[in-house]
């Protein structure tokens, strides 16, 4: 039977309308899928992402600068490590500094200065772009995008100057208030021939005024100090608490908080061998430099000298963590 011409128009029109409807429905889902592909990584999950562009507040010059994260890391490595070190040590530091930065960015919306991050060492990490060398640039590029993860999350990349032969738990070294991170392990290390003698063994004498000011910062007052003793110690034998006895009673304070209140560059470590009070002076002897948690920089130096790769160095201090490359 011959179909009338006007009916053919009607059939063709209906077919075109159907195509438009189906195509329109499909287009409703297509942008959502594209958005999902472009979506930023969920906080701290260790998935692939693009290298971030940061706004950095430079404390020394009081200016805000925009830079890529890898460029920022060059200044951090230069600020956190000594000059003329092996490339492998710098590269290991870069992995830790990158992990610290990514973890910090995921956990904090902004720095106290309104930027993504700052060069304030009390807030984040040291930064010294003037000390960047070709070796440091090569070390950062060599580990580009590499971070440490645990259970799929980027870890807090803690590091310090020298362990004194054994690294610390987070609770003893940092007075960490949360649960002890499972990826933090106290590591025994061999004798280190490269460490300066003043970090291997040291003694500091703190005058009474200095001690009293530190106690005041912690809200502690025992009157005239009569005795000071080490209280609780941790897995690495570092002091967790210090006991102060005075004319108006006694108190126990956090050893890590006391160290910061005094000056962490003066009271180098809490791996203490002797604490005594006499004639208005607190004498403290010990070993190491820094809080003792995570990577020990001088021990990383030793491992680099012995031929370890950056990844092997990092795994030495974080044996439970996994290295992942977040961006190319």
């Amino acid at each position: 039977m011959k179909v009338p011409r006007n009916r053919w128009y009607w059939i063709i029109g209906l077919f075109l309308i159907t195509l438009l409807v189906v195509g329109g429905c499909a287009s409703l889902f297509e942008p959502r899928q594209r958005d999902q592909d472009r979506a930023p990584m969920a906080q701290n999950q260790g998935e692939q992402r693009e290298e971030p562009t940061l706004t950095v507040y430079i404390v020394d010059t009081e200016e805000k600068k925009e830079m890529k994260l890898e460029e920022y890391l060059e200044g951090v490595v230069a600020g956190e490590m000594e000059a003329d070190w092996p490339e492998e040590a710098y590269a290991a530091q870069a992995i830790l500094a990158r992990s610290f930065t990514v973890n910090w960015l995921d956990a904090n919306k902004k720095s106290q200065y309104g930027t993504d991050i700052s060069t304030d060492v009390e807030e984040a990490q040291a930064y010294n772009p003037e000390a960047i060398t070709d070796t440091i640039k090569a070390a950062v590029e060599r580990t580009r995008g590499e971070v440490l993860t645990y259970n799929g999350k980027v870890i807090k990349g803690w590091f310090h100057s020298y362990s004194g032969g054994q690294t610390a738990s987070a609770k003893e070294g940092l007075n960490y208030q949360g649960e002890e991170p499972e990826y933090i392990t106290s590591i025994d290390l061999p004798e280190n021939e490269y460490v300066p003698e003043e970090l291997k063994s040291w003694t500091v004498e703190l005058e009474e005024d200095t001690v009293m000011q530190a106690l005041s910062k912690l809200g502690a007052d025992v009157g005239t100090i009569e005795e000071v003793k080490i209280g609780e110690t941790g897995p690495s034998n570092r002091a967790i608490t210090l006991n102060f006895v005075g004319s108006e009673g006694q108190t126990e304070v956090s050893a890590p908080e006391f160290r910061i209140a005094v000056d962490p560059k003066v009271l180098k470590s809490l791996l203490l061998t002797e604490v005594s009070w006499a004639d208005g002076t607190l004498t403290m002897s010990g070993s190491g430099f820094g809080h003792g948690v995570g990577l020990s920089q001088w021990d990383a130096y030793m491992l680099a000298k012995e031929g370890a790769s950056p990844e092997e160095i990092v795994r030495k201090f974080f044996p439970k963590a996994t290295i992942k490359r977040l961006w190319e």
Side-chain angles (χ1 to χ4, degrees), residues 167 255 277:
T167 62
W277 177 267

Side-chain angles (χ1 to χ4, degrees), residues 40-117:
M41 165 187 154
Q43 276 201 351
N44 213 24
Q45 292 302 304
E47 299 170 2
Q48 287 289 318
R49 63 173 88 178
E50 291 184 2
E51 179 190 354
T53 299
L54 308 178
T55 53
V56 183
Y57 181 80
I58 312 298
V59 174
D60 290 343
T61 59
E62 299 183 349
E63 61 182 323
K64 298 177 181 179
K65 287 188 175 180
E66 186 176 282
M67 63 187 77
K68 289 289 190 179
L69 190 145
E70 297 291 335
E71 179 186 350
Y72 162 73
L73 283 182
E74 292 175 359
V76 171
V77 173
E80 292 286 0
M81 272 190 162
E82 304 272 345
D84 300 322
W85 277 26
E87 182 180 311
E88 289 73 17
Y90 285 138
Q93 177 69 45
I95 295 172
L96 266 295
R98 190 179 294 106
S99 301
F100 182 98
T101 304
V102 171
N103 181 282
W104 197 96
L105 292 171
D106 285 341
N108 299 276
K109 290 183 179 180
K110 292 290 180 182
S111 74
Q112 61 180 312
Y113 303 97
T115 56
D116 293 319
I117 202 165

Side-chain angles (χ1 to χ4, degrees), residues 271-303:
L271 190 57
L272 302 172
T273 54
E274 181 185 354
V275 171
S276 63
W277 177 267
D279 301 323
T281 301
L282 175 58
T283 302
M284 309 180 86
S285 299
S287 179
F289 192 10
H291 51 62
V293 183
L295 180 138
S296 166
Q297 293 171 324
W298 276 104
D299 290 313
Y301 180 103
M302 173 184 67
L303 293 169

